[in-house]
């Protein structure tokens, strides 16, 4: 077993001993994987990165504390998003009928060579492509019959070549023996690569830890938005960049946009792409969730933007990571769990058929790891200058979870009570109505994380930085 917090401190690379307290233990969710403890380690590492920045600002480190039960809530924050009703009560947001249909179809299906394959139908344009490849209707029975006509490798290749999502169900041992699993094993769970030279940029001496830091958030649906929301907790000006034609999931938009602003810029339009580059010139962080290589052809690759804005921190968040034969593939939470062996092993305690974890661990975990790497890079820039490329991926996060050992009796899980959750929530008035949602959950002695404002309506801000 490799301790997650120690692994992340090796990425930090400093010799001092931070003041950190991590309390609580699994099982909190009914799974053999140590999801809450690993989540607590990731949040604690974020706290250390914040404390490092605080010391650069003030000369003082701060003590960090994280409760594993709080981390368990943080790994499912969208589940704790509630809307105020006419009678004053708060109720969770229900998934739409279309979302429920999609979730019902995203499952493993038997192939003709007796393997299991999971196609993904999460977005309308990808759903249409996958259904065209399979030649079937959008229901589990029709999909199952269609998948059964393919070998697993042939279907995997066909879906990847169409730039769609899917994955073969593998065991952890199979994944670690696969060329892509081997490539990721050779890399750190958070990669921080220096890609350019620039002068040091000290943090502002007053205000919260990330006061004066400007973040462009070109991500959606979980991991990337979690990373940017975390930076916003500590005072960064986070500007979400979207386009009105890009599909979103409302529940995740509301829950993951606290403390941010939102504007629309379509990179397909030359003038709007130029407006985005103008924003980059005054940005500190450019966070994106596209597949590796997807933005280079549009003029927004890491080296291009680092040349445009020396000192930029370019954060890449994707499914498969960098390097290896699958690095150009699209993917989602379900696919990361499927290919790395998590869903196979998790299913052994639930009837033997592959089953996803009870929380979106690789999405949320990767988001917090992205924030961690970004803050480490900002601190390194403050000390020695330079532009940096931070890289995290869902598969790497899943592999780190697998390195943490297992819970002996997952059925003894003690889930969070409603009273525990309420104690962790705050209320906000938004354009979507009055909501109750999780507040920042890492505790400090001095630092007080907070959201600068409520989740905004998409496209409600101008594409400009705050003065």
């Amino acid at each position: 077993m490799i301790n997650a917090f120690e692994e992340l401190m090796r990425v930090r690379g400093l010799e001092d001993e931070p003041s950190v307290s991590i309390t609580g233990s699994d099982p909190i969710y009914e799974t053999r994987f140590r999801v809450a403890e690993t989540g607590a380690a990731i949040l604690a590492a974020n706290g250390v990165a914040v404390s490092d920045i605080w010391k650069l600002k003030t000369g003082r480190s701060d003590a960090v504390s994280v409760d594993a039960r709080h981390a368990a809530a943080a790994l499912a924050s969208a589940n704790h998003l509630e809307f105020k009703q006419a009678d004053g009560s708060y109720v969770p947001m229900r998934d739409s009928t279309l979302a429920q249909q999609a979730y019902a179809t995203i499952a493993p299906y038997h192939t003709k060579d007796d393997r299991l394959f999971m196609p993904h139908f999460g977005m309308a344009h990808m759903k249409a492509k996958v259904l065209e490849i399979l030649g079937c209707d959008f229901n589990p029975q029709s999909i199952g019959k269609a998948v059964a006509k393919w070998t697993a490798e042939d279907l995997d290749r066909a879906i990847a070549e169409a730039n769609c999502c899917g994955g073969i169900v593998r065991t952890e041992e199979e994944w670690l023996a696969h060329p892509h699993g081997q490539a990721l094993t050779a890399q750190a769970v958070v990669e921080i690569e220096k890609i350019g030279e620039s002068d040091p940029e000290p943090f502002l001496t007053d205000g919260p830890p990330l006061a004066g830091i400007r973040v462009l958030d070109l991500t959606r649906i979980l991991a990337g938005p979690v990373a940017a929301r975390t930076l916003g907790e500590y005072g960064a000006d986070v500007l979400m960049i979207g386009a009105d034609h890009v599909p979103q999931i409302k529940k995740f938009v509301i829950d993951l946009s606290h403390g941010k602003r939102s504007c629309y810029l379509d990179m397909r339009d030359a003038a709007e792409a130029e407006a985005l580059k103008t924003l980059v010139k005054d940005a500190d962080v450019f966070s994106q969730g596209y597949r590796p290589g997807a933005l280079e052809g549009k003029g927004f690759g890491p080296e291009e933007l680092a040349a445009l804005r020396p000192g930029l921190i370019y954060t890449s968040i994707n499914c498969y990571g960098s390097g290896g034969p699958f690095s150009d593939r699209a993917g989602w939470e379900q696919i990361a769990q499927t290919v790395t062996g998590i869903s196979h092993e998790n299913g052994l305690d639930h009837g033997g058929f592959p089953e996803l974890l009870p929380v979106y661990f690789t999405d949320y975990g990767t988001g917090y790891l992205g924030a961690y790497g970004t803050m480490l890079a900002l601190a390194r820039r403050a000390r020695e200058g330079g532009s940096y490329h931070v890289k995290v991926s869902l598969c790497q996060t899943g592999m780190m979870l697998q390195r943490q050992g297992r819970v002996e009796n997952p059925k003894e899980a003690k889930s969070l009570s409603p009273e525990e959750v309420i104690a962790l929530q705050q209320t906000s008035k938004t354009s979507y109505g009055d909501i109750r949602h999780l507040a920042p959950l890492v505790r400090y002695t001095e630092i007080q994380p907070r959201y600068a404002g409520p989740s905004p309506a998409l496209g409600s801000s101008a594409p400009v930085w705050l003065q």
Side-chain angles (χ1 to χ4, degrees):
M1 186 175 90
I2 300 175
N3 182 276
F5 183 74
E6 293 177 0
E7 183 175 347
L8 293 173
M9 289 302 97
R10 288 199 292 271
V11 174
R12 175 176 175 253
L14 300 179
E15 295 183 357
D16 65 307
E17 288 286 337
S19 176
V20 176
S21 171
I22 303 176
T23 56
S25 62
D26 285 298
I28 296 172
Y29 295 109
E30 191 176 322
T31 174
R32 62 172 63 185
F33 290 98
R34 297 183 180 277
V35 294
E37 291 174 40
T38 309
I42 295 171
L43 288 178
N46 269 271
V48 171
V50 173
S51 177
D52 289 344
I53 291 171
W54 191 246
K55 186 174 182 179
L56 289 171
K57 289 169 67 79
T58 68
R60 303 184 304 276
S61 299
D62 203 355
V64 180
S65 62
V66 179
D67 189 308
R69 296 187 70 78
H70 296 179
L75 293 170
S77 65
N79 293 346
H80 305 301
L81 173 66
E82 300 172 326
F83 291 79
K84 189 175 184 179
Q85 307 300 297
D87 62 1
S89 64
Y90 286 84
V91 300
M93 182 177 182
R94 292 184 178 181
D95 292 320
S96 68
T97 301
L98 290 176
Q100 292 176 23
Q101 290 175 342
Y103 296 148
T105 58
I106 301 172
Y109 299 88
H110 289 279
T111 61
K112 75 176 182 180
D113 56 344
D114 202 29
R115 295 297 301 263
L116 287 166
F117 185 87
M118 176 185 278
H120 198 285
F121 304 94
M123 288 293 159
H125 65 294
M126 288 190 175
K127 178 179 76 173
K129 286 184 179 181
V130 175
L131 292 176
E132 182 179 359
I133 291 168
L134 293 173
C136 67
D137 297 325
F138 187 51
N139 63 73
Q141 294 74 27
S142 182
I143 295 167
K145 290 179 181 179
V147 170
K149 298 175 182 179
W150 293 75
T151 66
E153 291 289 350
D154 285 347
L155 182 54
D156 193 45
R157 190 177 306 110
I159 285 183
E161 289 174 352
N163 292 327
C164 296
C165 299
I168 299 170
V169 176
R170 291 183 170 89
T171 65
E172 181 182 2
E173 293 71 25
E174 287 175 323
W175 177 248
L176 293 177
H178 188 277
H180 197 83
Q182 292 177 342
L184 296 186
T185 300
Q187 300 169 358
V189 66
V190 179
E191 296 179 87
I192 305 175
E193 176 190 3
K194 189 174 186 179
I195 58 173
E197 299 293 339
S198 70
D199 293 332
E201 297 185 37
F203 294 96
L204 298 180
T205 55
D206 58 355
L210 295 181
I213 297 297
R214 292 169 165 173
V215 179
L216 289 170
D217 179 17
L218 281 77
T219 67
R220 59 193 174 103
I221 309 176
L222 288 189
V226 169
R229 184 187 66 180
T230 303
L231 300 178
E233 291 180 19
Y234 298 104
D237 177 16
V238 181
L239 182 59
M240 295 189 292
I241 306 295
D244 57 7
H245 69 278
V246 175
Q248 295 274 10
I249 298 177
K250 186 177 180 180
K251 176 172 69 174
F252 296 139
V253 168
I254 299 171
D255 182 60
L256 301 177
S257 301
H258 312 306
K260 303 179 185 179
R261 296 179 298 120
S262 171
C263 73
Y264 284 153
L265 288 174
D266 189 344
M267 282 188 285
R268 301 174 303 177
D269 180 277
E272 296 191 16
E274 192 59 35
L276 179 56
K277 287 191 174 181
T278 298
L279 288 169
V280 170
K281 293 176 183 178
D282 293 314
D284 298 283
V285 176
F286 184 93
S287 181
Q288 59 89 14
Y290 293 82
R291 281 173 288 179
L295 289 185
E296 279 79 348
K298 301 178 185 295
F300 290 92
E303 285 77 15
E304 296 163 294
L305 295 190
L308 179 67
R309 197 296 194 202
L312 184 71
I313 311 302
Y314 189 106
T315 301
S316 295
I317 301 170
N318 54 58
C319 181
Y320 286 100
S322 61
F326 289 174
S327 61
D328 61 345
R329 291 191 177 193
W332 300 83
E333 166 83 31
Q334 298 92 336
I335 303 305
Q337 289 193 37
T338 294
V339 300
T340 58
I342 291 174
S343 67
H344 170 268
E345 184 177 345
N346 193 55
L348 297 178
D349 297 321
H350 301 89
F353 195 73
E355 184 169 313
L356 297 171
L357 296 172
V359 290
Y360 294 132
F361 180 85
T362 68
D363 259 327
Y364 280 99
T366 301
Y368 289 120
L369 288 172
Y372 175 60
T374 300
M375 289 189 286
L376 291 183
L378 285 167
R380 185 171 169 186
R381 185 186 75 172
R383 291 191 298 266
E384 61 189 69
S387 303
Y388 298 90
H389 189 183
V390 176
K391 292 174 273 188
V392 292
S393 69
L394 307 187
C395 286
Q396 276 279 29
T397 302
M399 292 166 68
M400 185 174 75
L401 176 65
Q402 291 169 312
R403 292 192 286 270
Q404 304 314 303
R406 305 294 185 267
V407 173
E408 289 187 8
N409 299 301
K411 292 191 179 297
E412 295 180 358
K414 185 179 179 182
S415 59
L416 292 160
S417 68
E419 292 75 20
E420 284 181 283
V421 172
I422 289 174
L424 302 177
Q425 291 174 314
Q426 68 178 74
T427 59
S428 296
K429 292 183 178 295
T430 77
S431 60
Y432 306 99
D434 291 358
I435 64 172
R436 192 161 65 188
H437 58 92
L438 292 182
L441 296 175
V442 180
R443 306 295 187 231
Y444 304 86
T445 302
E446 289 187 50
I447 299 165
Q448 296 182 335
R450 60 180 292 273
Y451 298 121
S455 291
L458 290 176
S460 58
S461 293
V464 295
W465 293 115
L466 296 177
Q467 297 301 311

